[in-house]
């Protein structure tokens, strides 16, 4: 590998890459500095004026659940240097970085991990053929002949490959299809989380960055959605540089690569990864320097905005009126002829899978709470309530239980519309909807937790507790229905704008864009940092199509086809005391109610133990997904059979009602996810229409949790960050020799 890099990335070419990267970054950062002032003004104006957005009925968790392990287990990783597969103990902490250890003993002895992989920008592939097709397309002219050895051979039929267009690739395999499905769900969750790298609460830096990315790409006549807008700012900026630098390097270096097609493919992957790491380091340093400069200047900018807010607003509205008078006739014709006829079909394509996904979230939440209630009945009241609630509190972070919700978005297609509106992929819409599903699930769970915690303060009996749980569940579901409707309508509006606005801007550019500079003279020099002609022009274009989008979403809500509330249905302060409850300290169910918090095999913490000891042990047991198999994947056989749990709302409510009427003893057989196996439930009244049947779910298998807090993943998109005791090391290319020792180049 070192020979490949030294041959094709000599000092002269590295210098050229550095200069080219610096030029792209300089141009982009000018856009970013311009957008920062606009975003700051918009944020401060929003704080003063506010919006008429519906008030959320569900609470949201202000203190995240950080002390937990999402998943841990063994998998096999392919080592590119010696072309061997090695067994690795792997875990996914709360920050969703895949951590790879030499083995479980190394993890338990706190030996630094082999690698921490940040999966932002990656795609997960489940077959070698898929991978070979992508690799072949990335370097034209290297398609292997039939019968020749491919770039990768997998010893099993169950691979998982992390592919990135620029960074290094990661190869894993499992021994069974069940293990592959499990790890696929977990890694997909990692990608989904890492892709969403710009914080939602970033009201200035985030919007400034995304607007600067859009403006920069539009200056290169690149409109439409961009698949590589994923990760944090430095990762996205690195992708932006590679979008321009990559094809140039490929055209220059591809003819010089030697060997068989698969060898040339391997060489190109190594070169691309090395260049990506160089770009990342340079982008990180430049971006952080500019961001620091802007943050130092922010107090003075805020003072100027507060002093001249009214004048800035007046100046911007005057500018907008002049631009509107110029472009409105052209924009309205373009909307009427090229956009308006397609809005209903785009909306319908978005609504069907999205609404199915949110309905599934509701069903999963209902089933989990009802199963817990059955456990409370059968296992002696509140004795184990802490354990059950500890597990329930982490439901939104459970990749396997949430998988049935997420996969509802997979059928999303914009057939015939993607090419018309230059939508490169629907992945961005799928991921956004899935993130909303996760947030709404966590909000529903947290609201349920808060209300139940208040109820427990009254010291209810077992029978009263079960009735209270059912009553609180129904109360939370009503709030969820309202909030999910609001979230979906907002998602539909944003998606329609994201699809149509770039198309309109591209259509109008030949006749309108060249005329925009003459409007610059309408902006006072003192306000030029907060008002930009290009941004105001885009806002005017947005307004021309917004009324059609709002009307389409409103008509969809009136039809009630997808369980959307009408805009007139507003629940203002329907539960005024609920938000006061959320101001209290976070609930620790394991400590307050004596539950072990997860792993039944973990020793409980004595009351006299110091708080630090309790916290240390809590990290052991708070494990969202736990592996039943004690052995490695090679030793794992078929999963143990469990009795079926009731899988419909009618059955679950029937069981609950029957057990409340007659205090029957707990069943002798095992429980599945807390619900006893029943032969024939007694008939009960049909449930209300708003509670559709819940789909059956696989229970989370019990297992061991971790002993120590895992390291945080690197934020770099290059994927692998090798840990060192002295802190965070610089980015470099690594490999392993036959002894398993990391080698640095």
């Amino acid at each position: 590998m070192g020979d490949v890099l030294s041959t094709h990335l000599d000092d002269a070419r590295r210098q050229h890459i550095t200069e080219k990267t610096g030029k792209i970054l300089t141009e982009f950062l000018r856009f970013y500095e311009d957008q920062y002032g606009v975003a700051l003004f918009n944020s401060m104006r929003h704080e003063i004026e506010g919006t008429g957005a519906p008030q959320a009925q569900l609470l949201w968790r202000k203190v995240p659940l950080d002390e937990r392990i999402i998943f841990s287990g063994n998998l096999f990783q392919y080592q590119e240097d010696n072309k061997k597969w090695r067994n690795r103990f792997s875990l996914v902490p709360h920050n969703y970085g895949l951590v790879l250890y030499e083995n479980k003993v190394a993890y338990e002895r706190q030996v630094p991990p082999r690698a921490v992989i940040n999966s932002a920008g990656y795609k997960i592939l489940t077959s070698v053929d898929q991978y070979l097709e992508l690799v072949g397309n990335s370097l034209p002219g290297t398609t292997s002949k039939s019968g020749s050895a491919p770039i990768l051979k997998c010893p099993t039929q169950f691979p998982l490959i992390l592919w990135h267009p620029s960074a290094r690739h990661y190869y894993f395999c499992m021994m069974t299809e069940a293990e592959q499905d499990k790890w696929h769900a977990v890694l997909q969750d990692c990608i989904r989380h890492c892709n969403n790298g710009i914080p939602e609460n970033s009201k200035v830096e985030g919007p400034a960055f995304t607007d600067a990315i859009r403006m920069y790409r539009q200056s290169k006549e690149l409109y439409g959605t961009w698949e590589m807008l994923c990760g944090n700012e430095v990762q996205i900026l690195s992708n932006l540089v590679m979008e321009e630098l990559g094809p140039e390097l490929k055209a220059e270096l591809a003819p010089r690569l030697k060997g068989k097609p698969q060898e040339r493919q391997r060489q190109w992957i190594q070169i691309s990864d090395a260049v990506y790491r160089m770009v990342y380091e340079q982008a990180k340093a430049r971006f952080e320097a500019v961001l620091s400069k802007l943050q130092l200047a922010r107090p003075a900018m805020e003072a100027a905005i507060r002093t001249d807010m009214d004048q800035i607003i007046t100046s911007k509205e005057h500018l907008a009126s002049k631009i509107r008078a110029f472009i409105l006739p052209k924009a309205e014709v373009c909307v009427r002829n090229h956009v308006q006829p397609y809005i209903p079909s785009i909306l319908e394509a978005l609504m069907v899978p999205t609404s199915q996904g949110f309905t599934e979230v509701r069903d999963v939440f209902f089933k989990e709470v009802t199963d817990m209630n059955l456990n409370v009945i059968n296992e002696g009241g509140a004795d184990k309530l802490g354990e059950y609630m500890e597990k329930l509190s982490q439901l939104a972070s459970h990749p396997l239980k949430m998988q049935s919700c997420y996969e509802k978005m997979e059928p999303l297609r914009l057939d015939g519309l993607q090419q018309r509106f230059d939508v490169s992929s629907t992945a961005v819409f799928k991921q956004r909807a899935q993130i909303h599903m996760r947030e709404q699930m966590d909000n529903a769970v947290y609201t349920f937790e808060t209300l139940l915690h208040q109820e427990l303060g009254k010291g209810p009996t077992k029978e009263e507790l079960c009735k209270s749980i059912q009553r609180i569940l129904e109360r939370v579901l009503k709030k969820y229905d309202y909030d999910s409707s609001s979230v979906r309508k907002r998602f539909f509006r944003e998606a329609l704008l994201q699809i149509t606005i770039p198309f309109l801007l591209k259509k109008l550019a030949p006749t309108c864009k060249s005329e925009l500079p003459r409007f610059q003279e309408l902006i006072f020099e003192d306000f030029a940092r907060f008002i930009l002609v290009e941004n105001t022009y885009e806002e005017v274009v947005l307004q021309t199509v917004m009324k059609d989008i709002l009307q389409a979403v409103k008509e969809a809500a009136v039809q009630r086809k997808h369980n959307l509330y009408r805009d007139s249905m507003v629940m203002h302060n329907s539960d005024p005391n609920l938000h006061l409850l959320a101001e209290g300290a976070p609930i620790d169910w394991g400590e307050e109610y004596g539950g072990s918090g997860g792993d039944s095999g973990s020793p409980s913490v004595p009351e006299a133990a110091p708080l630090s000891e309790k916290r240390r042990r809590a990290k052991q047991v708070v494990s969202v997904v736990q592996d039943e198999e004690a052995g490695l994947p090679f030793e794992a056989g078929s999963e143990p059979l469990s009795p079926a749990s009731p899988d419909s709302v009618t059955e679950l409510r029937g069981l609950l009602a029957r057990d409340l009427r007659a205090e029957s003893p707990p069943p002798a057989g095992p429980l599945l996810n807390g619900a006893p196996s029943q032969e024939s439930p007694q008939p009960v009244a049909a449930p209300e229409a708003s509670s559709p049947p819940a789909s059956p779910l696989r229970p989370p298998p019990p297992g061991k949790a971790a002993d120590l807090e895992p390291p945080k993943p690197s934020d770099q998109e290059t994927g692998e960050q090798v840990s060192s005791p002295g802190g965070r090391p610089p980015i470099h290319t690594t490999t392993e020799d036959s002894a398993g020792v990391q080698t640095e180049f």
Side-chain angles (χ1 to χ4, degrees):
M1 179 176 177
D3 292 338
V4 172
L5 298 183
S6 61
T7 301
H8 298 287
L9 293 179
D10 54 18
D11 291 342
R13 187 162 284 110
R14 287 176 182 269
Q15 181 63 29
H16 170 73
I17 291 170
T18 300
E19 292 174 357
K20 179 74 174 179
T21 301
K23 181 180 177 182
I24 297 172
L25 293 175
T26 298
E27 188 176 354
F28 166 80
L29 291 172
R30 281 201 297 267
F31 281 96
Y32 181 63
E33 292 186 55
D34 291 342
Q35 294 300 322
Y36 192 89
V38 175
L40 182 60
F41 166 72
N42 290 338
S43 175
M44 295 180 66
R45 182 179 182 181
H46 174 76
E47 289 178 4
I48 295 172
E49 297 179 350
T51 62
Q55 178 181 350
Q57 297 298 303
L58 295 171
L59 303 178
W60 55 276
R61 201 182 301 275
K62 297 180 180 178
V63 179
L65 297 172
D66 286 344
E67 297 180 350
R68 67 186 194 274
I69 302 296
I70 302 297
F71 190 84
S72 63
N74 288 78
L75 48 72
F76 289 85
Q77 182 187 15
Y78 180 68
Q79 304 300 311
E80 299 173 68
D81 59 322
N82 56 22
K83 299 185 171 108
K84 292 182 179 179
W85 292 84
R86 292 196 173 183
N87 198 348
R88 299 289 187 219
F89 176 72
S90 312
L91 62 85
V92 178
H94 65 272
N95 47 25
Y96 290 89
L98 178 62
V99 187
L100 301 176
Y101 289 89
E102 184 71 32
N103 48 50
K104 192 169 184 179
V105 174
Y107 166 65
E108 292 171 345
R109 292 179 178 175
Q110 305 187 33
V111 176
R114 304 288 302 190
V116 180
I117 301 174
N118 185 304
S119 55
Y122 278 83
K123 289 182 179 179
I124 185 167
L125 309 175
T126 56
S127 78
V128 175
D129 290 340
Q130 287 178 300
Y131 176 70
L132 295 178
E133 182 180 357
L134 282 174
V135 171
N137 293 338
S138 66
L139 194 63
T142 60
T143 304
S144 301
K145 298 179 181 179
S146 59
S148 61
I151 187 175
L152 175 70
K153 289 183 178 180
C154 184
T156 74
Q157 299 178 3
F158 312 107
L160 285 179
I161 301 171
L162 290 177
W163 177 89
H164 192 281
S166 302
R168 74 172 285 187
H169 306 159
Y170 295 91
Y171 315 98
F172 306 102
C173 76
M174 295 80 197
M175 288 300 296
T176 65
E177 186 177 2
E179 286 297 310
Q180 184 192 42
D181 292 343
K182 193 180 298 183
W183 274 106
H184 183 270
V186 172
L187 293 179
Q188 196 65 58
D189 223 21
C190 292
I191 293 172
R192 186 181 301 112
H193 182 89
C194 293
N195 280 350
N196 192 36
I198 299 179
E200 296 285 340
N201 57 3
S202 176
K203 303 301 182 185
V204 177
E205 288 81 2
F209 184 83
T210 53
D211 287 347
I213 289 284
R214 190 183 70 256
M215 293 294 187
Y216 176 85
R217 297 187 78 246
Q218 287 176 185
S219 71
K220 307 294 182 183
E221 298 186 358
L222 297 172
Y223 295 83
T225 58
W226 187 40
E227 278 190 276
M228 295 311 294
L229 189 67
C230 47
N232 60 29
E233 292 88 345
V234 179
Q235 293 169 327
I236 295 171
L237 192 48
S238 302
N239 296 336
L240 186 72
V241 174
M242 290 300 294
E243 184 181 35
E244 189 170 340
L245 181 62
E248 177 187 316
L249 282 175
K250 188 183 298 182
E252 183 179 356
L253 296 179
R256 304 184 184 185
L257 300 178
K258 306 297 182 182
K260 296 180 180 179
Q262 60 269 26
E263 185 59 32
R264 298 203 300 274
Q265 292 171 350
R266 191 176 291 110
Q267 291 174 13
W268 174 248
I269 293 171
Q270 295 170 0
I271 293 170
S272 178
D273 176 59
V275 172
Y276 193 90
R277 293 169 184 268
M278 291 173 57
V279 169
Y280 180 92
E281 282 299 299
Q282 192 172 347
K284 184 174 185 290
R286 290 287 301 277
F287 178 75
E288 290 178 350
V290 170
L291 182 59
S292 177
K293 182 182 74 172
L294 290 171
Q295 289 175 339
L296 288 174
R298 179 170 175 168
M301 296 170 70
E302 289 178 340
I305 292 172
R306 289 192 186 96
T307 302
D308 300 323
M309 175 67 80
D310 292 340
Q311 293 91 330
I312 297 173
I313 293 174
T314 301
S315 178
K316 182 177 180 180
E317 290 176 348
H318 176 65
L319 172 66
S321 66
K322 296 295 184 181
I323 295 177
R324 188 178 298 110
F326 168 65
I327 72 155
L328 194 58
K330 302 174 184 179
E332 286 183 338
V333 170
C334 190
V335 169
R336 185 168 58 250
N337 294 337
H338 301 289
V339 175
Q340 195 179 63
Y342 300 98
I343 289 178
S345 56
I346 297 174
L347 181 59
E348 183 67 17
L350 290 167
M351 288 176 70
V352 172
T354 305
S355 296
Q356 289 175 351
F358 277 85
T359 299
E360 183 70 12
V361 170
R362 191 186 198 277
D363 293 348
V364 171
F365 173 68
F366 175 87
K367 185 177 188 301
E368 291 296 316
V369 174
T370 306
D371 282 352
M372 183 195 72
N373 206 359
L374 289 169
N375 271 348
V376 170
I377 295 173
N378 293 320
E379 296 191 10
D383 292 345
K384 290 193 174 183
L385 187 62
E387 178 182 341
Y388 300 145
M389 287 304 300
E390 195 78 52
K391 293 178 179 178
L392 183 68
S393 68
Q394 301 167 76
L395 178 59
S397 299
H398 197 301
L400 302 182
K401 291 185 179 181
M402 291 296 295
Q403 181 66 14
S404 63
C405 309
Y406 297 148
E407 63 188 12
K408 297 294 183 182
M409 288 301 300
E410 293 308 315
L412 175 61
R413 299 287 184 273
L414 296 176
D415 295 331
L417 299 172
Q418 284 187 231
Q419 186 174 1
R420 168 178 289 277
F421 290 99
D422 195 20
V423 178
S424 59
S425 171
T426 58
V428 62
F429 306 113
K430 294 178 184 178
Q431 178 180 292
R432 192 67 198 151
Q434 290 165 345
I435 290 171
H436 284 316
M437 291 175 196
R438 184 187 185 281
E439 290 172 349
Q440 288 301 296
M441 175 66 89
D442 195 50
N443 292 349
V445 168
Y446 181 61
T447 305
F448 179 84
E449 286 185 72
T450 304
L451 291 171
L452 180 60
H453 189 260
Q454 180 192 38
E455 190 70 21
L456 290 171
K458 302 175 184 179
T461 64
K462 183 173 70 172
E463 184 174 317
E464 292 171 341
L465 175 60
C466 292
K467 291 180 179 178
S468 296
I469 289 174
Q470 184 65 22
R471 185 175 65 252
I472 293 171
L473 172 60
E474 298 293 343
R475 185 177 170 187
V476 172
L477 287 176
K478 290 179 181 178
K479 296 178 182 296
Y480 172 83
D481 290 340
Y482 181 81
D483 278 11
S484 71
S485 173
S486 301
V487 168
R488 279 180 288 150
K489 287 192 290 186
R490 185 174 71 247
F491 167 70
F492 297 146
R493 291 193 293 265
E494 291 173 352
L496 285 168
L497 287 173
Q498 196 171 353
I499 292 170
T500 58
I501 291 299
F503 173 80
L504 285 174
L505 292 174
K506 187 176 182 179
K507 280 282 186 182
L508 295 171
T511 57
C512 297
K513 199 166 184 179
S514 60
E515 299 294 325
L516 293 181
R518 67 186 177 89
F519 292 99
Q520 187 65 39
E521 63 186 23
L522 299 176
I523 303 175
F524 291 114
E525 185 177 353
D526 292 344
F527 304 156
R529 291 177 297 174
F530 314 121
I531 305 174
L532 295 179
V533 171
E534 188 76 21
N535 289 66
T536 308
Y537 163 70
E538 289 195 1
E539 290 176 11
V540 172
V541 173
L542 183 149
Q543 291 165 6
T544 62
V545 73
M546 192 63 183
K547 61 178 181 293
D548 294 308
I549 290 175
L550 292 175
Q551 182 63 29
V553 175
K554 181 179 179 180
E555 290 175 358
V558 169
Q559 295 172 2
R560 300 188 64 81
K561 185 176 180 181
H562 298 288
N563 298 321
L564 294 173
Y565 283 112
R566 300 185 184 188
D567 292 340
S568 58
M569 296 286 292
V570 180
M571 299 172 63
H572 286 305
N573 296 321
S574 62
D575 212 343
N577 296 324
L578 179 60
H579 288 270
L580 297 178
L581 295 176
E583 300 300 324
I587 305 169
D588 192 327
W589 291 101
E591 290 189 8
E592 286 191 40
Y593 293 93
S596 63
D599 185 2
S600 60
S602 300
S604 60
V605 182
E607 288 299 321
L611 182 60
S612 60
E613 175 69 8
K614 291 183 180 180
R615 290 295 183 194
R616 189 190 72 79
R617 290 183 180 268
K619 292 176 183 176
Q620 294 182 31
V621 298
V622 180
S623 183
V624 179
V625 185
Q626 299 164 334
D627 198 348
E628 280 186 348
E629 291 91 6
L632 303 180
F634 274 121
E635 303 165 351
S638 58
E639 296 189 357
L641 299 176
S642 300
S645 98
D647 59 357
S648 71
V649 175
T650 305
E651 279 188 272
L652 292 168
R653 284 182 170 166
L655 291 173
L656 186 61
R658 188 181 67 183
D659 285 341
L660 282 174
R661 288 194 300 267
E663 289 288 334
S664 58
L671 297 179
L672 175 63
N673 199 22
S677 176
Q678 299 288 343
E679 292 294 331
S680 56
Q682 295 180 0
V684 295
E688 59 186 6
S690 62
S691 298
S695 61
L697 298 174
R698 289 172 54 188
K704 275 192 171 180
D707 269 329
L708 50 104
E709 186 167 2
K712 293 184 178 180
S714 160
D715 63 354
Q716 65 190 54
E717 170 131 3
T718 59
E720 184 164 339
Q721 173 76 45
V722 181
S723 299
S724 65
R728 182 175 176 174
I731 298 177
H732 51 263
T733 305
T734 61
T735 183
E736 292 180 344
D737 59 21
S738 59
V741 179
Q742 289 280 4
T743 307
E744 182 174 326
F745 295 95

